[in-house]
Amino acid sequence: MAQALLTEKPSIWQYRGGSPDVDLPAFLLDAAEGQTVLARLLYNRNIQSPEEAAVFLKPADPADIRPVEELPDAEIALARIEKALDSGEHILIYGDFDVDGITGTSIFYETLHHRLKANVSFYIPDRASEGHGLHASALLRLTSSRQVKLVITTDTGISNFNEVSLLNGLNVDTIVTDHHELPEHLPLAVANVNPQCLEDVETHRLGHLSGAGVAYKLCDALLKRRLPTQDAQEASDALLDICAIGLVADMVPLLAENRLLVQLGLQQLNKRQRLGINCLLKNAGVGEDAVLNAESIGFTIGPRLNALGRLQNATEGVEFLTTIDASRAAELASLLEGLNRQRQELCDKTFIEAEQHLQASGGIEGRKAIILASPDWNPGVIGIVASRLIEKYKLPTFMMVVEEAENKVRCSARSISGFHLTEHLEKLSHYFIHMGGHAGAAGFALPLEKLKNFKEDLWKLATETLDDEMTRPVIEVDAKVGFESLHVGFVDALESLAPYGMRNPSPIFVLEDVKVASQRSLGATANHLKVMFEPAERQGFVKGQLQSVEALLWKCGVNFKLDASKRYHVACTIEKNTYGMGTPVRLTIKDLKVVGAVEGGMRPAVVHETQEPKTLPAQASQATSILDKLDAVVSSSSSSRRSSVPVLNEVTWVDHSKRGNPAEFISQLLMSDKTHTLIYNEGKTPPIPFVEASQYVSRQNVRPCESLILWDIPPSQALWDDLLHASQAKQIHLFGAKYQDVALEMPLATFLKAMNQGLQLLLSKSPSEGLPLETLASRFATTEEIVLAALSVLNLQHPYLGTHYFNEKIHVKLLAPLAEIDLARVNVNDAPVLLLERLRQASVQFRQEVL
C-alpha cells in the first residue's frame, strides 16, 4: 500500500515491546486495573516498577513541579534579575524566532512587563537576514539605543561566546537561558541556565526542558519571590499555557517534568483565558467546547505561530500571545491564519517542484540521499518539504536555496535513523561556510561553486553508509486490538497516558483482517480518503459491539481508492469521533498491509552479524588484595557487595569490535527490538542517534534483558561478573566503541586532571549528604579502588565527601584547585602513585583482554 502512505518503499511493522504475546508483569496489570491493552502500553513505555506506573498514571499535581534552583546557575540568574528590578535597569529579552523562542520570550515579557512592571523590551531576529543566535550588530544597536544593562536570552545564546564577550565589553551583563547542546567553551555570561549543564541530564527530571520550559521555571521562581503568595501563584499558572505550547511545538520528550508542565498547561489552555489563542482557535474552526490536547498544539496552534517566523519577522508572535487588547488579538490571529494558509500553499508548491526536480535528475535510482537546489524556494519552508520527502522516500534529504547574489547555497537537511547528519557532515566540513544541527536535522551554507563536488561526495558518503534495509519505513505499533475495543470507554482509558509526544507517542494499534464496506474521497482536492471497515469474519461478536468503524487516510493522493476485493491489516490510532456523525470512535490510518502479502504483517527478529563464541576473560577478581594495600577501607556494605558471582558462560556473543560507524549500526540493530535490549556504558552518554535514555545502563542500574550491547567494557573482573549476573543477557554484542574516541590508557597526569575536573563538577552539583563511592567510580568508568587511590594522590578535601563514605585517613575535602597541585613533581616513588598505576594497568589489561 505504498501509494496510500505517500511512501515509495514497503514498510516494516514492528512491535514496540517485542512480541505481541509477551507475558505482562502483574504490577502493570494491577496499575491498569486489569485492562490488558493499557498494561501493554505501559510495558512498551519501559515502566519498570509499581512506583513508576503510579507516577505515570497519577493526575497532574502542581505540587510535583521541581524547583528551578536544581538547574546550574539558576540562583545566580534570579539574583541578577532581582538586582535589575530593584535598580530599574533596562532589561532586553533576546529570543529565537521559532515557536519555542516566541513562547519563551512571551513568558519572560509577560512576567517582567505585565506582572513585575519592569523596564523591559524584547527582540527576535529575522530568520532570513539574521538566522539563529545572537547577532553583534543587533546587540550594538539595541544596547545603545535602549541603554540596556541586562540581556536575557531564551532558546538561544549558548553557542554565542563572542557576542556575550562583546556585551561584557560594553558593560552589559548577560543571562543565557537555553536548552541546546553545550559548545566546547561556554559563553562568559553572568549565568548559563541550561539543562544540558546538568551532570545527569539524561535522567534528571529537568534534563529535557525546552527554551520555554526553562523560561517558565525561572519566571515561576521570580514571581514567587516578588509577589504575594496568591498573586504569584495566579500569575505563574497563567503562564502554563504558553509553556505547554513551547514544549509541544519544540518536540522535546514529553516525560518527567515536561509531561507534568504540558498536563498543567493544557488545563490552563482549556480555560480559554488567552485572547489571542481564542481568536486563533475560532479562525481555525475549533469549537468553543472542544477539548484541547497536545495534538491541538501540534497541529493547530504551533503551525500558525511557526508560519509567522518562517514567512516574516516573528516579533508579532510575542504581542499575539501577551496582548490584553481584544481587537489587537483578533487582528493578529487573522494575520497568523493568513500566513499559515500561505505557508501551506508554499509548502505544497515547493513539494511539487522538488518532486519535479528529483525526477528530472533521474529520481532516486542508485542513490541513498536526495539533494535538491533551486533559487526559487523560500528558505522558511524547505525544512518542512525535506521532512515530507523523507516520509515518501525514506532517504536523507537536503533542500537547498541558491542565493546567486551572495554566491552561496543555504540548506535545510533532515535525516533517518542510521544517518547521523552532523557526524557525517563533519566529514565534509571543508565545504562549509558554517554548519550546525544534530542527528535528525541540520543546516549549513557553502559557496555556490562548490555545490557540484559537494553533491557527489555526499551521495558517495550516503551510499557507503546506508543499505536498502536501513531506508525502509518503520511503523512502530503497540498492540493488537479487535472490534471489541472500539468504544468510547477504551479511548477514555488511553487518555490516562496522555499527553502524547516525543518518547511518549500516540499508541498505534493493529486491527487485523478487515474488509472495505464503503469508501469515498474527502477534501477540496479529493486527496483524503474516508473508509468504513468491517471484520472479514464475524465470529465471536457480542451484542452492542461495533459492526463497522470509520477510518480516515490523509494525503493519500487525488481520488485514491483501496481495492475492496482484498482484506487488510490496518495500523492505526483510535480516537473519539467528535463530528457527531458516523461511528462513536474513529481510526486514523498509519499504514495498511494486504492480508497474505506479508506473513503476519510483522517484522521478524534480525541478526545483523555472524555469531561467533568468544572466550570470557578468566582473570580472578583482585578486589580483596587491592583493598588491603589501600590507605583507606571501603565501607562494609561496599565490600560485601563483591561476593563471588559465577560468570555466565551460556551466552551467545556477536563480535562487532572491528566494525566501522558503530553508532549508526547500533541504531539499526535496535530497530529489531528496543524493549529487550540495553546498552552498557559509564561516564558520558554515547553519541548513538535515536536511542532513548532508558536503554543506557551502568553498573548502578543494570537490569535483566535479552540482549546487551557493550559500548563500554567493565573495568574489572568483579564488575564484569556483576554485569553479566545482573543483566542475565542471552546475547551480548561486543563493540567497545567508546575506545575509538577515548584512550584506553591515558598518561597519569591527564588521568588525574580529568579526575579532579570531574570531581569539582560533581561536587558543585551534589546533594549535601555526599557522593557514594560507587557513584564516583561509575561516573569515571573505573573501579572504586582506583578512585580511592587517585584521591590519595590528589589529597582532595571537600565537605560533601566526608567520612560517611571514606576512611578518615584519606582527606576528601577540596583544599585547592588543581592549578595549585604540581603534578609534574609528584614523587613517583610514593606508594599511592605506584599503587594507582598498578591498579590502572590491571584495569587496562582486563579491558584489552575482553576486546
Side-chain angles (χ1 to χ4, degrees):
M1 302 311 301
Q3 186 181 0
L5 269 185
L6 290 179
T7 178
E8 293 293 306
K9 302 172 183 177
S11 60
I12 299 167
W13 291 11
Q14 127 186 351
Y15 280 103
R16 281 198 179 95
S19 167
D21 303 318
V22 67
D23 290 331
L24 297 171
F27 77 86
L28 289 181
L29 290 168
D30 290 343
E33 297 181 346
Q35 298 181 73
T36 305
V37 175
L38 188 59
R40 171 73 192 208
L41 298 179
L42 292 170
Y43 179 83
N44 293 352
R45 279 145 185 77
N46 203 33
I47 302 299
Q48 298 285 329
S49 67
E51 293 75 22
E52 284 186 59
V55 169
F56 197 86
L57 296 173
K58 178 185 176 183
D61 185 349
D64 294 332
I65 292 179
R66 298 290 283 269
V68 72
E69 287 81 0
E70 293 185 13
L71 292 177
D73 282 4
E75 183 62 49
I76 299 172
L78 291 168
R80 181 61 185 90
I81 297 172
E82 288 203 272
K83 177 185 174 184
L85 292 172
D86 292 336
S87 305
E89 295 174 340
H90 189 107
I91 303 171
L92 173 68
I93 307 162
Y94 193 113
D96 195 32
F97 46 72
D98 66 5
V99 177
D100 195 30
I102 294 171
T103 50
T105 303
S106 300
I107 289 168
F108 273 122
Y109 187 70
E110 181 165 307
T111 298
L112 294 172
H113 182 266
H114 292 349
R115 302 292 185 176
L116 301 179
K117 310 304 179 185
N119 181 11
V120 62
S121 60
F122 64 87
Y123 182 78
I124 294 182
D126 182 75
R127 176 191 289 267
S129 62
E130 294 176 295
H132 294 284
L134 307 180
H135 296 270
S137 58
L139 292 171
L140 287 169
R141 183 180 71 254
L142 293 165
T143 54
S144 60
S145 63
R146 303 182 187 181
Q147 297 184 327
V148 173
K149 291 299 180 184
L150 175 63
V151 173
I152 304 174
T153 76
T154 179
D155 192 38
T156 190
I158 199 65
S159 297
N160 291 109
F161 185 94
N162 292 336
E163 289 75 13
V164 173
S165 297
L166 171 66
L167 288 171
N168 290 338
L170 297 171
N171 200 28
V172 177
D173 286 341
T174 307
I175 294 172
V176 173
T177 78
D178 203 347
H179 71 114
H180 295 103
E181 291 187 9
L182 305 181
E184 184 176 356
H185 300 291
L186 294 180
L188 302 176
V190 171
N192 290 300
V193 187
N194 186 329
Q196 297 295 323
C197 291
L198 290 162
E199 175 66 21
D200 51 349
V201 60
E202 287 299 324
T203 56
H204 197 287
R205 279 190 61 87
L206 307 186
H208 295 291
L209 290 171
S210 72
V214 175
Y216 168 77
K217 297 195 77 63
L218 279 170
C219 288
D220 172 60
L222 198 59
L223 288 165
K224 289 173 180 175
R225 293 183 181 205
R226 307 288 295 191
L227 295 179
T229 302
Q230 185 173 345
D231 293 345
Q233 192 62 57
E234 290 177 357
S236 178
D237 290 347
L239 297 171
L240 283 164
D241 54 353
I242 310 181
C243 179
I245 292 170
L247 286 164
V248 173
D250 210 53
M251 298 182 71
V252 292
L254 290 193
L255 300 172
E257 194 79 359
N258 288 350
R259 185 164 180 261
L260 174 60
L261 291 175
V262 172
Q263 287 174 317
L264 296 171
L266 289 172
Q267 292 176 11
Q268 185 67 26
L269 194 62
N270 277 290
K271 293 179 181 179
R272 306 289 184 102
Q273 293 179 342
R274 200 163 291 277
L275 295 177
I277 296 296
N278 289 343
C279 295
L280 179 151
L281 294 171
K282 181 179 179 182
N283 292 344
V286 178
E288 293 182 2
D289 56 348
V291 177
L292 304 176
N293 53 26
E295 287 72 23
S296 307
I297 295 173
F299 295 103
T300 303
I301 301 172
R304 285 162 173 78
L305 272 174
N306 208 6
L308 187 63
R310 290 186 180 278
L311 301 182
Q312 65 178 51
N313 189 276
T315 298
E316 288 178 305
V318 179
E319 185 182 1
F320 165 76
L321 288 172
T322 61
T323 185
I324 54 176
D325 182 331
S327 61
R328 183 61 174 154
E331 179 184 350
L332 291 170
S334 295
L335 170 67
L336 264 60
E337 186 66 25
L339 288 173
N340 189 54
R341 285 197 297 270
Q342 182 181 340
R343 176 195 62 80
Q344 291 173 325
E345 293 167 0
L346 196 55
C347 284
D348 290 343
K349 177 176 179 291
T350 305
F351 181 78
I352 292 170
E353 291 176 358
E355 285 271 49
Q356 293 170 345
H357 281 239
L358 181 61
Q359 299 310 318
S361 63
I364 62 172
E365 188 66 32
R367 290 174 175 167
K368 290 293 191 293
I370 296 172
I371 311 171
L372 303 172
S374 171
D376 302 323
W377 293 337
N378 187 306
V381 301
I382 56 175
I384 299 174
V385 175
S387 296
R388 287 178 61 177
L389 288 169
I390 282 184
E391 289 178 10
K392 181 170 183 177
Y393 295 103
K394 194 60 178 177
L395 292 174
T397 300
F398 301 80
M399 287 286 291
M400 303 183 182
V401 177
V402 177
E403 298 178 346
E404 294 176 342
E406 302 290 331
N407 191 38
K408 71 177 182 180
V409 177
R410 279 204 286 167
C411 178
S412 282
R414 300 293 184 269
S415 194
I416 62 175
S417 174
F419 194 87
H420 192 296
L421 275 178
T422 51
E423 285 187 3
H424 285 298
L425 290 175
E426 284 290 348
K427 301 170 187 175
L428 306 175
S429 60
H430 55 283
Y431 283 109
F432 302 131
I433 300 170
H434 57 77
M435 186 273 289
H438 49 80
F444 57 83
L446 70 158
L448 180 56
E449 63 269 17
K450 294 185 177 181
L451 178 58
K452 181 179 178 181
N453 289 339
F454 171 75
K455 290 168 68 174
E456 294 298 329
D457 284 352
L458 184 56
W459 273 322
K460 180 181 178 182
L461 182 61
T463 300
E464 292 172 349
T465 304
L466 298 170
D467 58 31
D468 290 339
E469 182 76 5
M470 296 166 73
T471 61
R472 288 181 63 186
V474 175
I475 306 294
E476 287 200 320
V477 299
D478 282 276
K480 294 179 183 180
V481 294
F483 271 72
E484 71 278 0
S485 295
L486 302 182
H487 56 82
V488 172
F490 178 73
V491 179
D492 286 338
L494 297 180
E495 284 301 307
S496 62
L497 304 181
Y500 297 116
M502 288 289 290
R503 298 205 192 173
N504 184 32
S506 296
I508 297 178
F509 301 100
V510 174
L511 193 65
E512 293 188 323
D513 202 9
V514 299
K515 61 183 180 180
V516 176
S518 63
Q519 57 183 321
R520 64 183 177 89
S521 297
L522 296 175
T525 58
N527 66 330
H528 311 304
L529 183 69
K530 178 178 178 180
V531 188
M532 292 299 292
F533 284 124
E534 60 185 23
E537 303 290 342
R538 292 190 172 274
Q539 296 177 0
F541 263 54
V542 297
K543 185 177 180 180
Q545 185 174 311
L546 281 182
Q547 303 297 302
S548 61
V549 65
E550 177 183 309
L552 297 177
L553 180 59
W554 301 106
K555 295 181 180 179
C556 51
V558 177
N559 294 318
F560 172 84
K561 293 292 190 297
L562 297 175
D563 186 342
S565 68
K566 290 182 167 53
R567 292 154 64 162
Y568 297 95
H569 300 314
V570 183
C572 59
T573 58
I574 305 173
E575 54 268 338
K576 293 178 185 177
N577 190 344
T578 58
Y579 290 94
M581 300 176 64
T583 54
V585 299
R586 185 181 66 193
L587 313 181
T588 296
I589 300 170
K590 300 299 182 181
D591 198 9
L592 303 105
K593 292 186 181 294
V594 176
V595 173
V598 178
E599 182 62 31
M602 294 295 118
R603 180 188 187 196
V606 177
V607 178
H608 291 266
E609 186 91 359
T610 302
Q611 298 181 359
E612 298 178 359
K614 187 175 180 73
T615 303
L616 299 180
Q619 178 180 333
S621 173
Q622 303 179 34
T624 304
S625 60
I626 289 169
L627 287 174
D628 289 342
K629 297 176 182 179
L630 282 173
D631 188 22
V633 179
V634 181
S635 65
S636 59
S637 62
S638 180
S639 297
S640 62
R641 188 181 55 78
R642 288 182 171 77
S643 58
S644 178
V645 180
V647 176
L648 306 177
N649 290 303
E650 296 181 3
V651 175
T652 302
W653 281 81
V654 187
D655 189 357
H656 308 275
S657 56
K658 306 302 181 185
R659 175 178 290 280
N661 299 320
E664 288 138 8
F665 183 79
I666 290 174
S667 181
Q668 290 302 311
L669 184 65
L670 289 173
M671 290 172 61
S672 63
D673 188 358
K674 287 184 179 180
T675 304
H676 300 99
T677 302
L678 299 176
I679 303 172
Y680 167 74
N681 183 72
E682 296 188 325
K684 187 175 180 180
T685 303
I688 306 175
F690 309 106
V691 175
E692 297 181 3
S694 60
Q695 288 181 266
Y696 294 117
V697 294
S698 69
R699 72 189 71 175
Q700 293 187 292
N701 63 352
V702 66
R703 56 188 184 272
C705 61
E706 294 290 331
S707 298
L708 182 67
I709 293 173
L710 296 178
W711 181 268
D712 196 355
I713 306 298
S716 72
Q717 179 74 48
L719 290 170
W720 176 269
D721 295 349
D722 287 353
L723 177 66
L724 294 182
H725 179 75
S727 70
Q728 297 292 311
K730 298 300 185 292
Q731 186 176 68
I732 294 181
H733 297 271
L734 175 65
F735 283 87
K738 176 177 182 176
Y739 304 104
Q740 294 183 6
D741 301 312
V742 178
L744 189 59
E745 181 178 13
M746 63 178 69
L748 175 61
T750 303
F751 173 81
L752 288 173
K753 285 180 181 179
M755 175 76 76
N756 185 73
Q757 290 169 354
L759 279 169
Q760 292 191 59
L761 181 62
L762 286 170
L763 297 173
S764 68
K765 300 169 182 178
S766 68
S768 59
E769 62 267 19
L771 288 168
L773 179 57
E774 185 183 34
T775 297
L776 286 178
S778 180
R779 293 294 178 88
F780 294 122
T782 189
T783 67
E784 296 177 5
E785 299 77 42
I786 290 175
V787 171
L788 285 169
L791 288 172
S792 295
V793 173
L794 290 174
N795 196 27
L796 296 179
Q797 291 191 354
H798 194 284
Y800 286 173
L801 290 175
T803 57
H804 180 68
Y805 293 108
F806 303 103
N807 186 277
E808 292 180 7
K809 293 182 181 180
I810 291 186
H811 303 292
V812 283
K813 295 183 179 179
L814 193 57
L815 283 173
L818 188 64
E820 298 180 22
I821 301 176
D822 189 352
L823 290 174
R825 297 183 182 178
V826 171
N827 186 351
V828 295
N829 293 319
D830 286 348
V833 177
L834 294 174
L835 176 60
L836 176 59
E837 280 300 271
R838 190 158 61 249
L839 295 173
R840 292 174 68 226
Q841 288 300 322
S843 183
V844 168
Q845 180 183 351
F846 180 80
R847 282 174 162 146
Q848 287 174 335
E849 288 182 7
V850 176
L851 288 170

